[in-house]
Amino acid sequence: MNIIHRRGWDLRESAAAPEAVFLNRRAFVAGAASVGAAALSPDLAMAQRVTDLPDPTADLYPAKRNEKYALDRPITPAEVNAAYNNFYEFGSSKAIARAAQALKLRPWTVKLDGMVEQPREIGFDDLVRQMPLEERLYRLRCVEAWSMAVPWSGFPLARLVALAKPLSSAKYVRFETFLDSSVASGQRQTWYPWPYAEGVTIAEATNELAFVVTGAYGKPLPKQHGAPLRLALPWKYGFKSIKSIVRVNFTDQRPKSFWESLQPAEYGFWANVNPAVAHPRWSQATEEDIATKERRPTQLFNGYGEYVAHLYKGLEGERLYA
Ligand SMILES: Nc1nc2c(c(=O)[nH]1)N[C@H]1C(S)=C(S)[C@@H](COP(=O)(O)O)O[C@H]1N2
Ligand SMILES: [Mo]
């Protein structure tokens, strides 16, 4: 089956495992029970089938591919991607896919609030049917120095911003993941600042690359990828692409993310990909493809500079690359 070749004892790769290394130390210090790594499921599709009704949005997929966003490398096979995830709500290993099947996707409500004309809540199925779905091939570069290439389906984040009608005084968008420790055992680990949160500026959120993901590989999004909706911000490190969103809040205060709250010396607000700016504990110069194991040079803005470099003009004094 889909056994991932994990080199847990390889010095380079284990050095580049920020969240796991840091949190295991925290767990030890706290004297807490170890965060159990879920076993790789032999048949995730089966696990999903027994817990869920048919997906009521399945008819929307596959969405038509937007050819504008081309890749320079092969698409990561779906089954490799589906078994190698970061989703700390379900554990701190990469093998959380089986545990994530406990996530209940319906009903799923997204709150649009804060500095908006009128706060509102919208059901996911209602939301997705109002949006122009398309498929985009995007690269994802994790801050841990691995990468993948994914056919995501979804719609521009700018469309969600437009739906929310932010006031002109709003400067940032803050996103929040669900909070339910009865399904997400990771959320019982109380040293984490749950719920997972992330944020971007309004200018970033309305950039054409910023994408709300509702599907992958021509189907509704698998739970381990952050169903029913997550972000894809391909020019930023992967942790900015928050999963399983329940709240979109407009604010004039710069949001503090989950990782920044835990480890501000290592993770900041902007987190734009830059091979020349090392993480405090490892180089960001290269990345390893999770499927082919090929190591390639990392690109500034993960190769998306033509779309986003202008967003950071005049901000050179900020920590743009951590
Ligand atoms: N809610 C939530 N979102 C999250 C994470 C997480 O732990 N919880 N991990 C992030 C990190 S570090 C990465 S690299 C990507 C991984 O996405 P994937 O598992 O679909 O590849 O999700 C991001 N979004
Ligand atoms: Mo990541």
Side-chain angles (χ1 to χ4, degrees):
M1 277 302 296
N2 317 317
I3 305 305
I4 296 297
H5 175 61
R6 298 181 68 219
R7 293 181 295 181
W9 306 107
D10 173 300
L11 181 64
R12 174 179 44 70
E13 185 169 283
S14 57
E19 294 98 350
V21 169
F22 173 66
L23 289 163
N24 287 344
R25 191 172 68 238
R26 283 291 289 263
F28 176 76
V29 168
S34 77
V35 187
L40 265 188
S41 168
D43 191 345
L44 291 169
M46 182 71 87
Q48 190 147 12
R49 216 171 297 138
V50 295
T51 53
D52 287 345
L53 298 167
D55 189 301
T57 61
D59 61 294
L60 299 174
Y61 305 91
K64 190 175 179 330
R65 180 172 297 174
N66 183 339
E67 302 288 351
K68 184 171 180 188
Y69 307 101
L71 292 177
D72 59 349
R73 62 193 74 180
I75 289 176
T76 303
E79 64 279 10
V80 173
N81 199 345
Y84 190 92
N85 304 103
N86 273 336
F87 202 169
Y88 275 71
E89 285 81 348
F90 296 101
S92 58
S93 82
K94 298 290 179 280
I96 54 74
R98 192 184 183 81
Q101 303 316 308
L103 184 58
K104 243 189 109 227
L105 299 184
R106 287 181 176 78
W108 192 279
T109 305
V110 182
K111 196 181 283 183
L112 308 174
D113 69 359
M115 303 174 88
V116 294
E117 278 180 23
Q118 180 74 57
R120 62 183 288 198
E121 292 190 355
I122 184 164
F124 172 74
D125 296 333
D126 186 10
L127 172 68
V128 72
R129 287 194 187 278
Q130 290 181 29
M131 293 292 160
L133 291 198
E134 63 183 58
E135 181 179 78
R136 296 186 181 187
L137 307 181
Y138 271 1
R139 299 183 291 277
L140 184 147
R141 170 58 157 84
C142 175
V143 74
E144 297 166 335
W146 53 263
S147 62
M148 59 185 190
V150 195
W152 297 125
S153 307
F155 55 87
L157 178 54
R159 297 293 293 248
L160 186 60
V161 171
L163 185 73
K165 299 198 177 78
L167 304 177
S168 59
S169 46
K171 298 284 176 277
Y172 300 94
V173 195
R174 180 180 181 277
F175 301 86
E176 230 173 75
T177 296
F178 71 89
L179 182 62
D180 184 354
S181 63
S182 74
V183 300
S185 62
Q187 293 183 333
R188 289 175 221 151
Q189 312 296 344
T190 53
W191 58 86
Y192 295 88
W194 306 115
Y196 197 100
E198 261 305 338
V200 293
T201 63
I202 300 271
E204 291 177 319
T206 54
N207 181 272
E208 69 166 276
L209 279 185
F211 202 52
V212 177
V213 171
T214 60
Y217 300 93
K219 300 199 176 102
L221 193 62
K223 293 177 179 179
Q224 61 269 35
H225 289 307
L229 75 166
R230 57 135 351 131
L231 296 187
L233 305 169
W235 72 100
K236 292 179 176 285
Y237 289 117
F239 67 86
K240 298 291 294 182
S241 291
I242 183 173
K243 297 179 169 183
S244 302
I245 296 164
V246 295
R247 185 176 176 202
V248 182
N249 177 260
F250 293 82
T251 169
D252 57 2
Q253 306 292 308
R254 182 176 292 186
K256 190 166 268 179
S257 76
F258 179 85
W259 291 110
E260 190 182 359
S261 302
L262 263 177
Q263 191 67 318
E266 300 191 350
Y267 307 104
F269 172 73
W270 298 102
N272 295 309
V273 174
N274 187 340
V277 178
H279 184 278
R281 291 185 279 129
W282 61 85
S283 163
Q284 295 291 25
T286 64
E287 63 201 54
E288 188 178 78
D289 183 302
I290 63 168
T292 65
K293 301 293 162 189
E294 196 188 322
R295 187 155 279 275
R296 53 169 76 231
T298 288
Q299 300 168 266
L300 181 61
F301 296 115
N302 200 22
Y304 294 101
E306 62 178 300
Y307 299 99
V308 296
H310 69 274
L311 293 171
Y312 308 104
K313 293 267 147 60
L315 294 173
E316 289 79 7
E318 301 235 358
R319 238 172 117 219
L320 291 173
Y321 307 106

